[in-house]
Amino acid sequence: VTGDGWVLTGIAELTTADDDLVVDGPAALVCGPDGTVEWVGPERALPAQAGAARFDVGGRAVIPGFVDSHTHLVFAGQRAAEWQARMAGRPYAAGGIRTTVDATRSASEADLLAGARLLAAEARRSGTTTMEVKSGYGLEVAAEARLLAVAQEVSDETTFLGAHVVPAEMAGRVDDYVDLVCGAMLEACAPRARWIDVFCERGAFDADQSRRVLEAGRAAGLGLRLHGNQLGPGPGVALGVELGAASVDHCTHLSGADIDALAGGRHTVATLLPAAEFCTRSPYPDARRLLDAGVKVALASDCNPGSSYTTSMPFVIALAVREMAMTIPEAVRAATAGGADALQRGDIGRLIPGRRADLVVLEAPTAAWLGYRPGVALVRTVVRAGAVVAGSWP
Ligand code: NIG
Ligand code: FE
């Protein structure tokens, strides 16, 4: 990358993720010296003065970098045995979170950081250029603050999820734990977080408790997100929309009223996490019903050691198309622009002038190959803010 910016040419298909704008090839993209997109369009209309260096991608497809708006990246240990038991028929339950809490509390900060960096690098290699990172495996004041300090090392999009489950030592004292989350824990964590999240689900926190957590977070200056309607119907989605949350996540078990609320809200994004349904062998959310109702949809990995141990957004896209009847343009848009919307980021997620030049060159002529060639490493080059961060220019 030169100080003068650069031009990509020979793009067989350029998905901008701005509405449904796909530029058929040969297309070109100009990145300015500040690492933002200056121009996109057909190669024959390329402005003559544009850019210094030129890279021909040789008939490959280009899409925006993935915006993974939901991960639990900071933890210790693993739960492969729990996953195997599930594959043998045991259902998924929120209680498994406590296994990871034990391992995480006894890990060193250096080990937690090393683990998070490894996963962040893995995600980058599969095309993720922005990822949200939650706490939630500490569940005591110092432990949650420590997880957020680690999260800040790998991302600017950090989320305080003290209200993940009630820790074992406070079992049965949910309201006392909510007091702690809204009091000393929030005070210690808010300076290190942009967002607050709560797991509103049977076995975790009910509507009143979730409301208290989110309102306390808002008073502390945090934006709102919520896990809801994952394991069964419940009040989470309605509560998130009512409070104007940026995103309600999972959205697997929705009532007609939930869909109406999301469609009427216009502001709250429904974030779908089909890798969690895959890894827990659960029914997938009804993406078509959401999209057809006009709800804004995002796709994210939910990377965590219990319910979805993957960082791969290409895998998530393949699932969304195969299992949830999303089209490829819908799925790519949800995994890029949708994630940016869920994080309320106007500077990333779309390949249009003024946005950060975060993009992926695929080892494929069209984005459809992300579903057509499932499980294959199709990410060739990853660019973030105009600089190559994984792979190399063709
Ligand atoms: O998003 N839903 C709550 N949290 C995670 C699961 C975490 C775990 O099982 O460790 C999720 O699926
Ligand atoms: Fe999650």
Side-chain angles (χ1 to χ4, degrees):
V1 176
T2 76
D4 300 325
W6 44 262
V7 183
L8 275 194
T9 59
I11 302 169
E13 179 198 76
L14 175 62
T15 301
T16 66
D18 192 40
D19 296 319
D20 284 327
L21 181 60
V22 174
V23 187
D24 289 326
L29 178 146
V30 180
C31 175
D34 62 350
T36 64
V37 176
E38 271 181 1
W39 185 90
V40 291
E43 208 177 290
R44 57 180 155 69
L46 184 63
Q49 77 284 4
R54 275 188 174 235
F55 303 99
D56 189 322
V57 301
R60 297 183 173 89
V62 169
I63 62 174
F66 299 121
V67 180
D68 187 352
S69 60
H70 183 141
T71 83
H72 307 251
L73 220 60
V74 193
F75 61 85
Q78 46 94 2
R79 283 151 56 193
E82 179 190 313
W83 173 81
Q84 274 181 290
R86 219 156 48 224
M87 293 304 107
R90 190 169 315 154
Y92 175 76
I97 292 168
R98 287 182 184 162
T99 310
T100 298
V101 170
D102 290 342
T104 302
R105 284 178 176 176
S106 49
S108 71
E109 187 162 332
D111 284 349
L112 291 170
L113 180 57
R117 284 208 169 120
L118 217 57
L119 289 172
E122 180 183 284
R124 198 180 311 121
R125 283 196 300 277
S126 63
T128 297
T129 48
T130 300
M131 73 199 313
E132 180 261 17
V133 178
K134 301 175 197 297
S135 69
Y137 292 117
L139 310 185
E140 46 194 21
V141 176
E144 283 293 307
R146 184 171 80 134
L147 295 184
L148 283 165
V150 171
Q152 283 183 304
E153 294 288 321
V154 293
S155 179
D156 295 333
E157 295 290 346
T158 57
T159 300
F160 169 46
L161 178 58
H164 200 181
V165 285
V166 177
E169 69 274 11
M170 292 185 78
R173 295 163 51 209
V174 190
D175 287 308
D176 290 344
Y177 184 65
V178 172
D179 287 343
L180 178 66
V181 169
C182 298
M185 202 184 281
L186 177 61
E187 199 182 317
C189 291
R192 291 173 171 170
R194 178 168 183 228
W195 304 99
I196 189 162
D197 194 343
V198 57
F199 190 16
C200 181
E201 195 85 39
R202 194 181 302 261
F205 300 92
D206 69 18
D208 289 339
Q209 292 153 351
S210 300
R211 179 189 296 275
R212 280 184 60 206
V213 168
L214 293 178
E215 285 180 343
R218 171 143 64 202
L222 303 181
L224 311 186
R225 334 183 60 75
L226 177 146
H227 281 70
N229 305 60
Q230 174 187 7
L231 306 176
V237 166
L239 177 68
V241 175
E242 183 205 319
L243 296 180
S247 177
V248 289
D249 297 40
H250 283 295
C251 296
T252 307
H253 298 272
L254 298 184
S255 67
D258 291 329
I259 305 257
D260 292 347
L262 280 164
R266 290 274 156 206
H267 165 87
T268 301
V269 174
T271 300
L272 310 182
L273 311 164
E277 277 72 48
F278 179 86
C279 296
T280 58
R281 194 178 278 142
S282 303
Y284 291 93
D286 193 342
R288 277 267 55 94
R289 198 165 157 219
L290 288 163
L291 288 163
D292 295 345
V295 176
K296 278 193 189 172
V297 169
L299 286 168
S301 71
D302 197 15
C303 180
N304 77 78
S307 65
S308 183
Y309 200 2
T310 182
T311 53
S312 173
M313 292 295 280
F315 174 61
V316 170
I317 288 172
L319 286 179
V321 174
R322 169 65 176 83
E323 301 293 339
M324 308 198 303
M326 290 174 75
T327 66
I328 275 283
E330 284 170 342
V332 173
R333 180 139 62 100
T336 57
D341 293 345
L343 293 171
Q344 299 187 336
R345 290 281 299 268
D347 60 327
I348 55 173
R350 292 169 168 84
L351 291 175
I352 53 175
R355 301 254 174 159
R356 205 166 76 188
D358 293 356
L359 62 83
V360 174
V361 181
L362 295 175
E363 193 57 80
T366 68
W369 286 45
L370 290 169
Y372 175 50
R373 301 210 63 210
V376 176
L378 293 180
V379 170
R380 179 177 175 113
T381 311
V382 184
V383 172
R384 189 173 187 278
V388 173
V389 293
S392 58
W393 290 123

